Amino acid sequence: MERESIEMDVVFVGAGPANLSGALHLSRLVSEHNEEVAAGKRQGTALGEVEIAVIEKGASIGAHILSGAVMDPRALSELIPDFVEQGAPLESPVKEDDFLYLTKKRAIKSPVTPPPLKNHGYYIVSLNRLTAWLGEKCEEAGVNIFPEFPGAEMLYDERDCVIGVRTGDKGVDREGRRKSNFEPGVDLLAKVTVLGEGPRGSLVKQLAQRLNLNEGREPQVYSLGLKELWELPDDRYPLGKVTHTLGYPSDAQTYGGGWIYGMQNRVLNIGYVTGLDYRDPLLDPHAEFQRFKEHLHIRRLLEGGKMIRYGAKTIAAGGYYAMPQLYADGVLLVGDCAGFLNSQRLKGIHTAIKSGMLAAEAIFEALVANDFSSQKLQRYEQLVGESWIMPELRRVRNFHAGFKRGRWLGIANAGLQFVTGGRNWGLFDRSSGEPGHLALRKLSDYGYQGDSPEQRYGNLRFDGKVTFNKVTDVYHASVAHNEDQPAHLHVLDTEICSTRCAEEYGNPCQRFCPAAVYEMVDGGDDGKRRLQINFSNCVHCKTCDIMDPYQIINWVTPEGGGGPGYKNM
Ligand SMILES: Cc1cc2nc3c(=O)[nH]c(=O)nc-3n(C[C@H](O)[C@H](O)[C@H](O)COP(=O)(O)OP(=O)(O)OC[C@H]3O[C@@H](n4cnc5c(N)ncnc54)[C@H](O)[C@@H]3O)c2cc1C
């Protein structure tokens, strides 16, 4: 097949805060260099026109971005010192912090907010709006932005150096045949390719396996965040107020917690995080979120309001010990796909922005030296090590792993780490935690008879007012995929689904997916149920790729532009 090749200097894959900050910073470093060389203020030769591209699989910049979000402005103020004056879309400065411990019936307000959850000086933001704004800044600076372009495959030369990325084909039908509108993906060739795909990047997965980037590191572990926006009828929850919760409905063995943020125009931002290292095979993160909303204290906040948006996304929680090697020949990793998130604070925007900026600085030096080898690009890891990122991540290096032995030991560990700056003298695990597919237990280990959800959730009902089923929620994620394309969720052996997985785990994909993508339906061979993949519901959270106990689900990018259409999330 004839494919077009386009030569760029630097290609950033994924238009999240990490890569957009990287692209913007790089374009400025290059312009500054060229101007100073021309004015005789700097030695060396000008770099001339440096072509920088950012590709994004979403239909627009920000469409696939979902976050909390309370943003620590440290990195943004390094990138754009006058971001407030320049009109960054901020919902509100944080005005009040609450921390609640929920039992089944009560909400106990902590007299003090745990220090990692103090948000004074931070901002409540809609990250997808902030990202769209950063995209505009990039375009103003001359960066080429290409939405609807998924990076489908890494390109290597004969020595395994990364030489760019191939974007996905368009116009392929569900059987894999070319349609009349077929357009082959483009080979974007680059001196440096920067992967900023967010958690569980599909290209990062390929790259790390091929180049052994995870060697000697702990496995990455994840959480899943589910979020809704609500329009409230009155001022019952003030703008700028931040509440975090611990306890109900998570059981003591499961990592989880809720958030409630007050946004502009009486919009309430509410969400629930479940650690994707839970053990109970009947656990359903979406049901946990509904339970959370059913709690008397939370229900009171929502009643009479209207749910207007829904979304879900994973969070890379492994931190310091789970970070892969950040560079190789011709390639760098930034943001969540490289594990930069501080899981104790549930904050990764500031570290994503900073990692993008540091990648830009390393690339700039590589451009000046015209050397894009791993030896040269290793400079990025050095810059990260010298920046404020590493002390921040080191201090919380054992946080998530502490919860492996349950909530109370996890809290004790977090407290100890806070006092000792991360040291725990081997009292708790020195690791990132246990990957979800290994943590998940079989139905028989839990004494379950079959896979009926009532065994865990009793009489949980969706009332359509405060609690919703997955299909209703997914409608509010504005998801759209062209249905006549191959499913982008590759299940490598569907026989396992009808046999081993059904018996051992009761097909947990039906529960861990927050968008009702996976369904076991009648009509399989030998009268068994078979797997049906409703891929058009997929919100690109990647939970299935992480949690499938046999690791036979491979999430790949669908046709460009498909996926959620998040607004104000
Ligand atoms: C529920 C939740 C709550 C959170 N709360 C907070 C908070 O309160 N404060 C905070 O600081 N952080 C929070 N975070 C973390 C924060 O959102 C992330 O750390 C941050 O967004 C990481 O930025 P990123 O640029 O690395 O990746 P992302 O923001 O994930 O962006 C990645 C982009 O790359 C695109 N992409 C992926 N793969 C490809 C591909 N192959 N080709 C093309 N495009 C691709 C995606 O569509 C996406 O647009 C939260 C995260 C979640 C999920």
Side-chain angles (χ1 to χ4, degrees):
M1 181 196 306
E2 284 284 304
R3 280 184 196 275
E4 193 186 351
S5 290
I6 302 179
E7 287 208 21
M8 289 280 158
D9 290 292
V10 184
V11 171
F12 289 85
V13 181
N19 263 349
L20 291 170
S21 306
L24 180 61
H25 194 47
L26 180 61
S27 72
R28 287 185 186 154
L29 289 171
V30 170
S31 313
E32 206 176 275
H33 173 82
N34 287 346
E35 278 162 26
E36 290 193 2
V37 169
K41 292 186 192 156
R42 193 182 286 197
Q43 288 193 331
T45 43
L47 289 168
E49 187 99 351
V50 171
E51 288 291 351
I52 304 171
V54 181
I55 62 168
E56 165 57 44
K57 63 181 165 62
S60 60
I61 303 304
H64 289 185
I65 300 280
L66 177 147
S67 189
V70 173
M71 180 185 67
D72 175 345
R74 182 171 190 178
L76 186 59
S77 55
E78 289 179 20
L79 181 70
I80 305 175
D82 56 346
F83 64 90
V84 176
E85 294 74 17
Q86 287 209 35
L90 309 166
E91 286 289 322
S92 169
V94 175
K95 296 176 186 160
E96 192 183 339
D97 269 313
D98 260 6
F99 181 67
L100 303 176
Y101 184 81
L102 301 185
T103 66
K104 195 168 178 187
K105 297 255 160 73
R106 297 183 59 205
I108 303 158
K109 186 172 164 175
S110 168
V112 281
T113 303
L117 295 179
K118 280 192 183 152
N119 293 298
H120 182 75
Y122 300 167
Y123 293 91
I124 297 176
V125 296
S126 144
L127 189 59
N128 81 324
R129 287 181 58 213
L130 188 76
T131 307
W133 181 77
L134 281 173
E136 286 165 20
K137 294 278 163 214
C138 283
E139 282 190 310
E140 283 164 21
V143 174
N144 304 287
I145 304 266
F146 301 112
E148 297 202 9
F149 274 82
E153 216 180 302
M154 299 301 293
L155 298 172
Y156 303 89
D157 70 8
E158 62 289 346
R159 292 180 303 115
D160 260 358
C161 301
V162 173
I163 52 165
V165 67
R166 176 167 295 167
T167 65
D169 295 340
K170 279 190 177 169
V172 177
D173 76 9
R174 62 178 69 228
E175 308 298 337
R177 292 176 302 233
R178 295 178 192 180
K179 296 190 277 191
S180 55
N181 62 346
F182 176 74
E183 272 178 48
V186 174
D187 284 350
L188 287 171
L189 304 176
K191 293 168 180 154
V192 185
T193 304
V194 188
L195 297 180
E197 294 184 285
R200 195 69 163 197
S202 48
L203 293 178
V204 172
K205 191 171 146 183
Q206 293 174 19
L207 180 85
Q209 274 167 8
R210 180 161 172 155
L211 303 183
N212 274 332
L213 299 185
N214 292 322
E215 201 180 340
R217 323 282 161 130
E218 286 290 318
Q220 185 54 271
V221 295
Y222 299 87
S223 298
L224 173 64
L226 276 71
K227 172 173 175 179
E228 287 173 353
L229 295 183
W230 283 70
E231 264 170 15
L232 297 183
D234 50 42
D235 293 325
R236 65 182 81 166
Y237 195 90
L239 171 67
K241 179 171 173 176
V242 164
T243 303
H244 288 112
T245 75
L246 188 71
Y248 187 84
S250 293
D251 60 70
Q253 293 308 313
T254 303
Y255 178 82
W259 80 80
I260 307 159
Y261 303 154
M263 308 211 345
Q264 288 176 15
N265 306 318
R266 294 177 174 165
V267 171
L268 190 81
N269 163 344
I270 181 164
Y272 200 80
V273 172
T274 298
L276 289 180
D277 42 9
Y278 63 80
R279 291 164 195 193
D280 184 343
L282 290 187
L283 190 146
D284 178 333
H286 179 267
E288 299 284 302
F289 183 32
Q290 305 314 305
R291 271 263 148 99
F292 173 63
K293 290 186 294 170
E294 272 193 332
H295 189 281
L296 215 60
H297 179 83
I298 311 294
R299 183 174 260 279
R300 268 206 298 262
L301 285 174
L302 302 176
E303 262 168 357
K306 185 177 167 214
M307 192 267 285
I308 50 169
R309 302 223 188 281
Y310 169 79
K313 192 157 178 217
T314 48
I315 299 161
Y320 184 79
Y321 288 124
M323 293 176 84
Q325 181 177 309
L326 301 174
Y327 62 91
D329 290 302
V331 67
L332 297 178
L333 310 184
V334 297
D336 273 13
C337 70
F340 275 100
L341 180 126
N342 177 336
S343 68
Q344 187 180 53
R345 299 168 69 206
L346 184 54
K347 286 191 177 54
I349 301 171
H350 64 306
T351 45
I353 293 177
K354 182 69 180 175
S355 69
M357 292 174 71
L358 295 172
E361 286 163 28
I363 296 168
F364 171 72
E365 289 181 20
L367 286 166
V368 170
N370 196 25
D371 177 357
F372 310 99
S373 64
S374 64
Q375 287 90 326
K376 187 71 193 166
L377 293 177
Q378 191 172 6
R379 171 79 175 134
Y380 167 51
E381 207 162 79
Q382 189 189 347
L383 289 171
V384 169
E386 289 164 6
S387 73
W388 49 258
I389 294 184
M390 274 314 180
E392 177 173 336
L393 295 185
R394 261 189 74 74
R395 273 197 299 276
V396 297
R397 60 191 177 276
N398 290 303
F399 172 77
H400 193 83
F403 286 86
K404 209 163 106 180
R405 297 194 213 155
R407 180 186 301 149
W408 299 112
L409 280 175
I411 292 174
N413 179 45
L416 182 67
Q417 280 208 57
F418 183 73
V419 178
T420 64
R423 277 178 226 98
N424 65 20
W425 300 282
L427 290 174
F428 295 91
D429 300 304
R430 285 166 183 273
S431 75
S432 53
E434 194 177 16
H437 68 283
L438 297 178
L440 195 68
R441 300 290 183 262
K442 294 182 180 157
L443 290 167
S444 56
D445 295 337
Y446 261 75
Y448 287 136
Q449 305 294 319
D451 61 359
S452 120
E454 285 79 29
Q455 295 173 90
R456 181 176 171 101
Y457 290 105
N459 61 353
L460 176 65
R461 296 281 175 270
F462 309 115
D463 62 10
K465 292 181 182 136
V466 169
T467 54
F468 305 96
N469 63 22
K470 286 185 188 176
V471 174
T472 308
D473 257 333
V474 169
Y475 172 78
H476 289 91
S478 307
V479 189
H481 288 93
N482 181 344
E483 302 226 1
D484 190 18
Q485 65 173 304
H488 64 281
L489 301 146
H490 296 175
V491 180
L492 307 180
D493 179 0
T494 47
E495 175 65 20
I496 291 187
C497 311
S498 317
T499 53
R500 270 184 72 192
C501 189
E503 282 156 31
E504 294 181 339
Y505 297 95
N507 302 110
C509 54
Q510 300 179 100
R511 294 177 289 279
F512 55 60
C513 169
V517 167
Y518 297 93
E519 225 181 318
M520 293 303 288
V521 296
D522 292 335
D525 296 340
D526 306 334
K528 295 198 174 88
R529 292 201 299 163
R530 68 176 173 83
L531 180 68
Q532 175 174 296
I533 303 178
N534 307 316
F535 74 85
S536 49
N537 282 359
C538 176
V539 292
H540 296 202
C541 70
K542 321 265 181 86
T543 304
C544 52
D545 195 295
I546 295 163
M547 280 305 288
D548 162 42
Y550 306 98
Q551 289 294 281
I552 52 171
I553 301 180
N554 191 29
W555 191 101
V556 301
T557 47
E559 194 171 285
Y566 292 140
K567 285 199 183 83
N568 215 18
M569 292 291 265

